[in-house]
Amino acid sequence: INETKKKRRRVFAVGTSTVRSLETVAVSGFQVSPKRGWTDKFIYPPYKFKMVDAMITNFHQPKSTLLMMVSAFADRDQIMKAYREAKKNGYRFLSYGDAMLIL
């Protein structure tokens, strides 16, 4: 991750927990190292992402904090449009559901 950021390349996070972890580390600069700990990072619009440039995540429950996080990453209207499309096409929601890539 450090090398990727140094080369000004994009960091793709897989999952909202990874996003929260990386954004927590980002407050100390762009040096990522093995650590143990926890985060109480609550990401909601408007939020300027410092570490993560793209994310892969499931479709989350309406009105959930995870939906708030992805709405901070992409425009809420765009996210809701993706959700309508997913629902129309029978995508599965929640933990073992279909996923989306948000650039």
Side-chain angles (χ1 to χ4, degrees):
I1 294 169
N2 295 327
E3 189 66 26
T4 298
K5 280 306 215 185
K6 187 177 175 181
K7 291 180 179 178
R8 297 184 179 263
R9 302 197 67 197
R10 296 193 299 175
V11 172
F12 283 65
V14 179
T16 54
S17 295
T18 303
V19 172
R20 290 178 64 232
S21 298
L22 290 173
E23 289 300 311
T24 298
V25 171
V27 297
S28 64
F30 287 132
Q31 293 302 307
V32 177
S33 61
K35 290 181 179 65
R36 290 184 68 155
W38 59 275
T39 183
D40 60 357
K41 187 99 173 144
F42 179 44
I43 299 173
Y44 56 91
Y47 177 82
K48 183 173 174 25
F49 286 82
K50 296 157 192 70
M51 182 69 74
V52 176
D53 302 300
M55 80 168 77
I56 298 171
T57 187
N58 296 338
F59 289 93
H60 304 289
Q61 289 274 41
K63 300 181 183 178
S64 69
T65 58
L66 297 175
L67 185 58
M68 288 175 71
M69 179 193 293
V70 298
S71 294
F73 197 83
D75 177 68
R76 179 170 163 66
D77 291 336
Q78 185 180 16
I79 293 296
M80 297 316 294
K81 182 179 176 184
Y83 271 60
R84 285 190 297 275
E85 186 71 17
K87 189 174 177 185
K88 181 175 88 175
N89 287 292
Y91 287 19
R92 293 172 297 172
F93 284 63
L94 306 175
S95 297
Y96 296 103
D98 291 303
M100 61 180 160
L101 170 62
I102 306 172
L103 303 170

